[in-house]
Amino acid sequence: MASTCDSLIEDIEDMVSFSDPTPQERQSIRKSIIPRSRKKKELMCNEELQADSLIPGTQKIWMKTWGCSHNSSDGEYMAGQLAASGYKMTDDPTEADLWLLNSCTVKNPAEDHFRNSIKKAQEQEKKVVVAGCVPQAQPRMDYLKGLSIIGVQQIDRVVEVVDEAVKGHSVRLLGQKKDGGRRLGGARLDLPKIRRNPLIEIISINTGCLNACTYCKTKHARGDLASYPIEELVERARQSFQEGVCEIWLTSEDTGAYGRDIGTDLPTLLWRLVEEIPEGAMLRLGMTNPPYILEHLEEMAKILNHPRVYAFLHVPVQSASDSVLMDMKREYCIDDFKRVVDFLKERVPGVTIATDIICGFPGETEEDFQETIDLVKCYRFPSLFINQFYPRPGTPAAKMEQVPAHVKKQRTKELSQLFHSYNPYDHKVGERQHVLVTEESFDAQYYVSHNKFYEQVLVPKRAEFKGKMIEVDIYEAGKHFMRGQPVEDSKPFTPSIAAPLQKGEVSGLMQVNTHTHTHISLYRYDCGFKSITCNLIQLHQCSDSFLLHE
């Protein structure tokens, strides 16, 4: 494996000497490159290899993302910028020259997978760049020594970091985005991206949160609340629909807290976004904690009843014991949570409430756990994320007296058995529903769609259904899904106002000169200390090979 430089470089400016080209000069050189045709027989194999090893932007990159939809969105943006700069994103880690590992710090297993992937990359002599919440929160961990790091608010500089990592330098960008002293939500929303699913746009509406939960490591990485302005979010949604998207997910560490730092609120944003959603397209709201949704219940009920918004809300309760909630510093009591659920169930008929529960938090007694069991028996949540407590290093909960491991495991098992003892969709067999088809099932046997309540409905895998709103009759129900048969006389409705991008295609780039097999793309990205305009020329060769030459 290529060795890195001895001294760790904390920012890109630190490594530029007077004799080195500046980033502007490097981009200028790229713009002045002229393609010169050379016949294949004249092109030596070692010449191609030499070019790949010396020119940043010609290598193959494999990216792995763990964690939440916010992290997924960050990963899409990083992949888009790298592809727009000339790098080739690959699904095969073995053929990649560099691994970009986008981590999650919520639970120990996710960080273990991340650490093991770094070790595996190094064993295979791959260059490594790490991103996400783990290195942001703990950049000085031993296993991160010598690795290049992209901070969670520095994803717009991924090309710079990868360029330097390819050359064997170690670069760490961990700073915050600020404007006039005010912390921003993060990198700009109009950066190039590659959507994991061309039909679904994930938009981060804010980063960080207002809480200080004693078990949470994400707070160490994402920090305090910082919201994007409404106009920027609306413009991002508008652009997405113009690229064939038919479903938008709003995500953040706490969507309910949106806007409190910039003088607005979540309902105001949602009403603006609803105006942009084409008929048949849908919006899904992300996770919100109980304290910040309580004051907006009336407006939230109206929004969730809107025909282009899924009647779905993810409200983590974590525990039904007020004593445990106090130790967690969750800033609400169980009655607050019940008020949210009861109000929405009454005002939004059929609404889906998803929730999270932590089993075995420090100090949790049998009585505390029984209160949680009783809560699940009462509400029979159709979607329940059960987590055995893991003490995260550096959090207050890690220093508390721990519940024995076997007790945590037993409680997790008991709650899981309760969850699997009821079938939430049996009563829906025989219903006729409209569903939006957006994905393929894991076994590739069905298409996955969702009804108004964001309940999963499997439908026949017919090409004409993908990205369409169709009508189905529900004929079977399982624990996590239903199966639907398309209504014979019903025609699929197309919500997209444009053709979707191809899988792997970069969002936000315009193509020209297709008749000459030359695609020229123009985009801008903010490098923190400068803005660079890049012209990327991707050459599609026919019978001749092309040699890059000044």
Side-chain angles (χ1 to χ4, degrees):
M1 182 176 180
S3 61
T4 59
C5 54
D6 292 334
S7 59
L8 188 65
I9 301 164
E10 295 296 334
D11 211 339
I12 206 83
E13 297 96 324
D14 299 336
M15 67 184 308
V16 180
S17 69
F18 290 111
S19 60
D20 291 332
T22 65
Q24 296 104 318
E25 290 169 341
R26 189 173 73 239
Q27 295 297 336
S28 177
I29 290 170
R30 283 185 177 179
K31 287 191 289 183
S32 67
I33 288 173
I34 301 170
R36 185 180 69 191
S37 177
R38 180 183 291 187
K39 293 183 179 179
K40 286 183 179 178
K41 64 182 180 181
E42 297 177 20
L43 193 62
M44 301 296 292
C45 292
N46 65 341
E47 198 168 11
E48 285 184 287
L49 291 172
Q50 186 179 15
D52 282 347
S53 64
L54 294 178
I55 305 174
T58 62
Q59 290 75 19
K60 294 180 180 179
I61 297 176
W62 177 69
M63 183 169 67
K64 171 71 175 176
T65 293
W66 292 266
C68 64
S69 53
H70 192 164
N71 232 30
S72 296
S73 175
D74 287 352
E76 291 181 350
Y77 275 120
M78 288 190 285
Q81 292 170 87
L82 289 166
S85 187
Y87 289 100
K88 181 180 179 182
M89 305 305 296
T90 177
D91 293 328
D92 184 357
T94 61
E95 73 170 16
D97 302 292
L98 181 144
W99 287 14
L100 175 53
L101 304 175
N102 188 21
S103 63
C104 170
T105 191
V106 172
K107 294 188 287 188
N108 287 10
E111 184 172 346
D112 291 342
H113 285 304
F114 170 62
R115 184 191 298 110
N116 290 337
S117 294
I118 292 174
K119 183 179 179 181
K120 188 174 181 180
Q122 292 170 334
E123 289 172 349
Q124 297 182 27
E125 298 188 344
K126 306 290 187 182
K127 290 184 168 61
V128 181
V129 172
V130 295
C133 291
V134 171
Q136 180 73 51
Q138 294 178 288
R140 301 190 185 281
M141 294 288 285
D142 286 342
Y143 69 89
L144 298 177
K145 188 175 182 180
L147 298 181
S148 290
I149 296 176
I150 304 163
V152 295
Q153 287 209 319
Q154 299 291 333
I155 61 171
D156 54 341
R157 300 176 69 180
V158 63
V159 174
E160 295 172 77
V161 176
V162 169
D163 279 356
E164 298 306 329
V166 163
K167 293 186 289 187
H169 297 143
S170 179
V171 184
R172 297 190 166 196
L173 303 183
L174 296 164
Q176 304 292 331
K177 298 286 187 195
K178 294 185 178 180
D179 181 15
R182 183 179 68 84
R183 185 166 176 264
L184 301 178
R188 291 204 334 272
L189 295 172
D190 59 351
L191 296 168
K193 73 187 301 187
I194 296 178
R195 298 185 182 94
R196 184 187 64 83
N197 183 337
L199 297 174
I200 298 175
E201 168 73 0
I202 307 173
I203 303 178
S204 301
I205 63 174
N206 55 267
T207 190
C209 68
L210 294 173
N211 286 9
C213 299
T214 55
Y215 57 82
C216 182
K217 189 74 175 176
T218 306
K219 176 79 172 187
H220 295 196
R222 298 283 181 178
D224 293 327
L225 178 70
S227 305
Y228 284 99
I230 286 179
E231 291 303 325
E232 292 182 18
L233 295 166
V234 170
E235 180 55 36
R236 182 67 210 179
R238 189 179 294 128
Q239 178 192 333
S240 302
F241 290 126
Q242 291 169 354
E243 293 178 335
V245 162
C246 62
E247 185 170 292
I248 283 185
W249 297 357
L250 300 185
T251 183
S252 78
E253 283 65 57
D254 187 351
T255 58
Y258 170 80
R260 286 173 173 253
D261 57 319
I262 57 173
T264 186
D265 55 41
L266 181 62
T268 302
L269 168 65
L270 294 177
W271 285 124
R272 286 291 308 279
L273 287 172
V274 161
E275 296 173 4
E276 304 294 331
I277 303 174
E279 183 181 355
M282 298 296 289
L283 181 147
R284 191 194 81 174
L285 187 58
M287 187 270 288
T288 175
N289 284 311
Y292 307 112
I293 206 69
L294 274 168
E295 64 188 72
H296 300 309
L297 285 179
E298 290 278 356
E299 285 300 298
M300 289 304 301
K302 294 176 185 176
I303 290 165
L304 293 175
N305 275 312
H306 193 283
R308 295 192 291 277
V309 178
Y310 285 118
F312 168 89
L313 201 60
H314 179 192
V315 190
V317 65
Q318 306 301 5
S319 172
S321 163
D322 283 341
S323 173
V324 173
L325 291 174
M326 185 176 297
D327 288 341
M328 291 178 171
K329 289 195 174 180
R330 290 290 289 169
E331 299 185 9
Y332 59 86
C333 62
I334 193 59
D335 285 344
D336 293 331
F337 174 81
K338 290 179 178 178
R339 182 184 164 204
V340 170
V341 177
D342 293 343
F343 185 94
L344 292 178
K345 280 182 169 290
E346 178 185 348
R347 301 295 183 91
V348 188
V351 66
T352 296
I353 302 294
T355 195
D356 300 1
I357 289 174
I358 296 174
C359 295
F361 185 81
E364 182 186 65
T365 64
E366 284 297 334
E367 291 75 17
D368 294 328
F369 179 66
Q370 188 58 49
E371 290 183 74
T372 299
I373 289 287
D374 293 342
L375 182 79
V376 175
K377 286 180 178 178
C378 175
Y379 288 101
R380 295 166 69 91
F381 302 102
S383 183
L384 178 61
F385 302 94
I386 301 170
N387 301 291
Q388 181 176 317
F389 175 74
Y390 290 95
R392 301 297 290 131
T395 62
K399 300 175 183 177
M400 298 177 183
E401 185 175 351
Q402 303 296 306
V403 173
H406 72 278
V407 175
K408 290 192 290 186
K409 188 175 293 187
Q410 176 58 36
R411 290 176 184 174
T412 304
K413 180 180 179 182
E414 183 179 343
L415 186 58
S416 297
Q417 288 174 339
L418 171 59
F419 174 62
H420 286 93
S421 70
Y422 58 86
N423 293 316
Y425 306 129
D426 284 353
H427 66 287
K428 299 206 171 192
V429 173
E431 288 186 1
R432 180 163 290 187
Q433 301 179 352
H434 285 92
V435 296
L436 181 60
V437 184
T438 56
E439 300 179 73
E440 184 178 84
S441 62
F442 286 118
D443 62 6
Q445 300 301 306
Y446 297 90
Y447 276 153
V448 176
S449 67
H450 293 89
N451 59 20
K452 162 68 177 172
F453 310 105
Y454 204 68
E455 296 163 335
Q456 184 171 279
V457 180
L458 302 179
V459 300
K461 191 177 175 182
R462 300 181 195 166
E464 65 269 24
F465 290 163
K466 192 73 174 289
K468 304 292 195 297
M469 181 75 76
I470 65 174
E471 193 173 20
V472 300
D473 289 324
I474 303 300
Y475 66 89
E476 183 182 343
K479 175 62 182 175
H480 302 286
F481 63 89
M482 293 169 272
R483 285 192 174 92
Q485 180 64 38
V487 176
E488 287 188 11
D489 298 333
S490 179
K491 293 184 178 180
F493 179 78
T494 304
S496 300
I497 61 176
L501 301 180
Q502 296 298 309
K503 188 171 181 62
E505 189 175 352
V506 181
S507 162
L509 301 184
M510 301 298 293
Q511 294 185 345
V512 298
N513 294 343
T514 53
H515 63 285
T516 63
H517 299 274
T518 302
H519 292 193
I520 303 178
S521 306
L522 178 68
Y523 74 96
R524 290 179 61 84
Y525 62 90
D526 180 6
C527 293
F529 58 92
K530 59 183 75 69
S531 291
I532 299 173
T533 302
C534 303
N535 284 300
L536 166 68
I537 301 179
Q538 295 176 327
L539 300 169
H540 292 243
Q541 58 192 43
C542 300
S543 58
D544 287 336
S545 297
F546 286 90
L547 176 65
L548 295 183
H549 143 88
E550 288 183 43

